Amino acid sequence: MAPAASINVLPESDTSAFTVPGRLTIQSVAKRRAAEGRLVAGVAALADVERFKGRTSHLHKAKARRWDHRFSTESNTRLPSSLKGAARYLKNEGMISLGGGLPSSRYFPFEQLSARVPDAGHFDGPSRCSTLHAGKNDLAEGKSDFDISTAFNYGQGYGAAQFLRWIIEHTEIVHSPPYQDWSCIMTIGSTSAIDMGLRMFCERGDWILSEEFTFPTAVEAAAPMGIRVAGVKMDEGGLLPSALDEVLTNWDVYARCGPKPFVLYTVPTGQNPTGSTQSAQRRREIYAVARKHDLIIMEDEPYYFLQMQPYTGPDASPIPPPSSHQEFLDSLVPSYLSMDTDGRVMRLDSFSKVIAPGARVGWITASEQIVDRYRQHADVSTQGPSGMSQLLMYKLLEEQWGHTGYLDWLLHIRMEYTERRDVLLDACESYVPREIVSWVPPMAGMFHWFKVDYRKHPAYPRKSRADIEEEIFHAIIGHGTLLMKGSWFSPDGQGEGDDMYFRATYAATPLEDIQEGVRRLGEAFREVFAIDSVVQGNGNGIAAVQMKALETGLANIHVNGYINGHANGQAKDFGTGYTSGYGNGYSNGGHFDGYTNGHTNGYLSAMA
Amino acid sequence: MAPAASINVLPESDTSAFTVPGRLTIQSVAKRRAAEGRLVAGVAALADVERFKGRTSHLHKAKARRWDHRFSTESNTRLPSSLKGAARYLKNEGMISLGGGLPSSRYFPFEQLSARVPDAGHFDGPSRCSTLHAGKNDLAEGKSDFDISTAFNYGQGYGAAQFLRWIIEHTEIVHSPPYQDWSCIMTIGSTSAIDMGLRMFCERGDWILSEEFTFPTAVEAAAPMGIRVAGVKMDEGGLLPSALDEVLTNWDVYARCGPKPFVLYTVPTGQNPTGSTQSAQRRREIYAVARKHDLIIMEDEPYYFLQMQPYTGPDASPIPPPSSHQEFLDSLVPSYLSMDTDGRVMRLDSFSKVIAPGARVGWITASEQIVDRYRQHADVSTQGPSGMSQLLMYKLLEEQWGHTGYLDWLLHIRMEYTERRDVLLDACESYVPREIVSWVPPMAGMFHWFKVDYRKHPAYPRKSRADIEEEIFHAIIGHGTLLMKGSWFSPDGQGEGDDMYFRATYAATPLEDIQEGVRRLGEAFREVFAIDSVVQGNGNGIAAVQMKALETGLANIHVNGYINGHANGQAKDFGTGYTSGYGNGYSNGGHFDGYTNGHTNGYLSAMA
């Protein structure tokens, strides 16, 4: 991956080529609901997905392709749950069930649940909150369509009908899938969905494809299943369609010891770890390659709504936010789902980054056939998400905010992340040495990706790429900041000659800590690469070290940068791993053999 | 399985042979906590299990055996998550993390969570409730050890330290595992734990062992993994140790096309579907067989705390409940975990039956090695349970009830289930024909298991066992009650010559509906088996049918029982499947050729 020095990938230019066609409006949702009548769904009720989609709304579209040739043995030998099947008799009027082993809600020791949540339209100013209530028997008492009795009991693998309806509508509003028989099922989080998706499509010995740097959990989930991950080259705009085509076209089953892959795992927006976002055009090209090679696209999109305003630099004035929901939706890079005429996309959505990870609620959207396979697995493993989570989310998203309020919230989050990213980028401009480190401003997600020109390390090439990465990692920790090593994100591992990266996040750290954290890592880079520091250190420290150096006969010490960097008082934090690395590096420069000659003293041993 | 006609398996006699040794007391928990100091655990904090167990409390015990020879390829190739590993650097004081992609709690749109729960000690009388509150920053503000900021963010695979501590203490209070390095990890429910446990131990082509009737979800989870389930004979006291030993000793790898199994999946208490409970003596014998053949015991115990008072019959006075926590704990059949000196038991606990299934929270207890493997899988798939659930459960169980109040609650549940079961059993005595149907009063769980002497069916043996089962199933539905077919619970399938069963539950149905449901199924049995009805039908109905029968020349119709049963007005509910079955059955008796001869009329066709 070779990021250009500083390219702003503007969302405007990305979406101009493509607008999600026939997008459902929030007004149309209201009409559809009115036409379909009130939703009545009790304990473990089956969800009528067709009704939630509007019975006739999608009949003009072609059906998804069938994926029988793509399912694994595990998936192909799944049968529907016999016990869940018996639930269909419960529809008979007056039926007394002595059948299912569902406990009585009398024995749920929760009578009422309440949550204080911010009011839609008041996210930015002084906080204004409302309190939502869910009672035990709200459904029977006509107070709500969902309650503790229902949510806290067993449910179906796809989650509760009440909340699934909202999810289906939201999905249609945002993505408007262009084929007829798309469907949604809740997940207990996208991490689990990756695990279950891999088991659905892959056999031991298979390969899947991903970006050349990718979410390590996906790789770590795949490896024990005997599934290997082949990284595909990227640039600053994400996965390269030509590289994808090339890998597939020239796949050598003997060299790879495995069949040609047909699952592409991709994080198209605010990719983890690179922060890159595929443009609409890029997605269309990749989708064309997917059609050519008949791929399933596993579109993992936790950061989709963390698309931000364009970065304008430290001194420019910010670009105003979208002025309407329509403008907001149009500003989003279109998803693979929105262009998926074949039904070959399994899209993973998550509330983790925009509501709360602890909810453990997400959903997938895919063809009915894929969703059915997923549900059959969920019914005998994860089951649906926590009913406590579903009830709280339903109260917030369906009853309190509605689709409108949720879009307001997403817009609010967009602006908050924009501010966080800008603080990080501004700090980078101030503190991080451009001679060594380069980056592209991310336009989405939580991550910033530093490229490090490690060949400028004083000890290169005597010291290996991996050792230099380790040295930098610990130097940054020594300075009191934690970044993630780029090599952790490489599914194939990295070797000599590959580029070096570090991942930073601006998601959670307080703004002032982001600045300080970047200042520290800038220092660490300066120190490791022995370059001039811009830091206003304490002159006494420098003088003391210089004096000590003179005392111990190290008159020819290379003081610029190195000693300046040290003068910041961070030396005491250096760990053991760092010690040897640094000693080597320096002596290589020919300026300082104090360490190897045993001339170290208080200050200098601390430095080493 | 051959249940004796009516054996009361009394809990007293079961536990007299065994008392869980060295049981931790609630007072000792308090002392241990005081000695270990306050628990401070922020977002995704690591849990110090040793501390929760009491650092020196278990050192006198031997360590668990190692299970390296039992783990699957999948489990053996799992590596720890690299990203979760980097979290250890966050312990460094003053560290600014730009590392982990955790969102800021500022963007969780929940400021406060409240729940109204019943007060401990007031479960039986008029309801008295308290309201529990969880704020966003209670931890930082010193109001609580757990809060929204922590619970709603990402966490570790074993769940939040705060709640895990409570679970570990509870486990020790109840089971006191007799080896040193036991550990606990939360699950998202036992169904998921079964799925993950099977993947941990088994390869495609393997067999596992279970009761001859078992939880279908376990079988349905195993089958797509290529894992087959061999049923082991039971009696009214559950799995037979001799049968287990016999299956293992004589395992024929060629006939079975698979290696000798080493995983026993068992539900020892209130087994699903049979309702049987293994006595302490039975468990010790099975554990001895497990040692002999080096088995892993997957002890699935959702119904452990649904152990009830002995059934004394319709007219006897009830036995008073345990008068103290100690007496209550001593009344429980000891678990496999409590006798597991080898660490070969993976125990699955669940809150689903005693708090709420929708929580999707359970836990496993096993040797540290097994728990570590489980966690490594959870870290890249399910992750921990919903933080929303964990926070609510923590507020209730840790802060409101404590261990004492929870035992009070479990005792309350015990008495409630006792009442439910007794209503069902009393109704069975009144309505279910003993000539055809027999049963053993369950002493634990949710389920009642009817054995049906299908050889007394008028059409037997011309009509197959499977067809008679189907006929009865639909006849019961036709009468407005739903039972589950026994054959659904047979992992091997059932054939001619095997006994026939139906499963009923008394868990959730209102008491009056339990009675009515049993009355209906009694009717259905009478009808199918053409025996005298005790039902007080409407004489007009009978007369009308008799008259019609005479009118159409069917003078030799066998009116007793058959016509009486029909006179109840249920005939119109019969489905299509039922029709042919019934016509056959009756004409076999030689009394009624109306249907086959085309002599049916309004009433009679409805009956058929």
Side-chain angles (χ1 to χ4, degrees), chain A residues 9-11 14 236 267-278 283 301-311 331-333 353 413-414 417-418 421-422 425 440-449 504-506:
Chain A
V9 184
L10 299 179
D14 286 328
E236 69 280 5
V267 182
T269 311
Q271 201 252 357
N272 182 2
T274 65
S276 63
T277 297
Q278 298 166 9
R283 290 172 202 228
E301 279 290 51
Y303 315 109
Y304 189 71
F305 284 111
L306 301 186
Q307 292 180 54
M308 296 168 286
Q309 302 291 98
Y311 180 60
S331 80
L332 300 171
V333 185
K353 307 304 192 288
I413 295 285
R414 175 192 181 94
Y417 270 79
T418 299
R421 178 207 55 188
D422 290 356
L425 288 176
V440 177
M443 60 168 277
M446 301 181 149
F447 301 115
H448 184 54
W449 190 232
T505 177
Y506 41 86

Side-chain angles (χ1 to χ4, degrees), chain A residues 394-414:
Chain A
Y394 174 87
K395 284 280 156 187
L396 176 70
L397 296 176
E398 161 83 22
E399 292 192 352
Q400 182 69 10
W401 288 353
H403 292 295
T404 311
Y406 185 53
L407 293 182
D408 288 340
W409 174 255
L410 295 173
L411 197 44
H412 166 66
I413 295 285
R414 175 192 181 94

Side-chain angles (χ1 to χ4, degrees), chain A residues 429-446:
Chain A
E429 299 286 353
S430 300
Y431 296 117
V432 180
R434 280 279 194 186
E435 310 92 292
I436 305 295
V437 187
S438 58
W439 60 87
V440 177
M443 60 168 277
M446 301 181 149

Side-chain angles (χ1 to χ4, degrees), chain A residues 75-87:
Chain A
S75 184
N76 276 328
T77 50
R78 273 197 196 287
L79 297 172
S81 160
S82 53
L83 295 191
K84 293 216 197 274

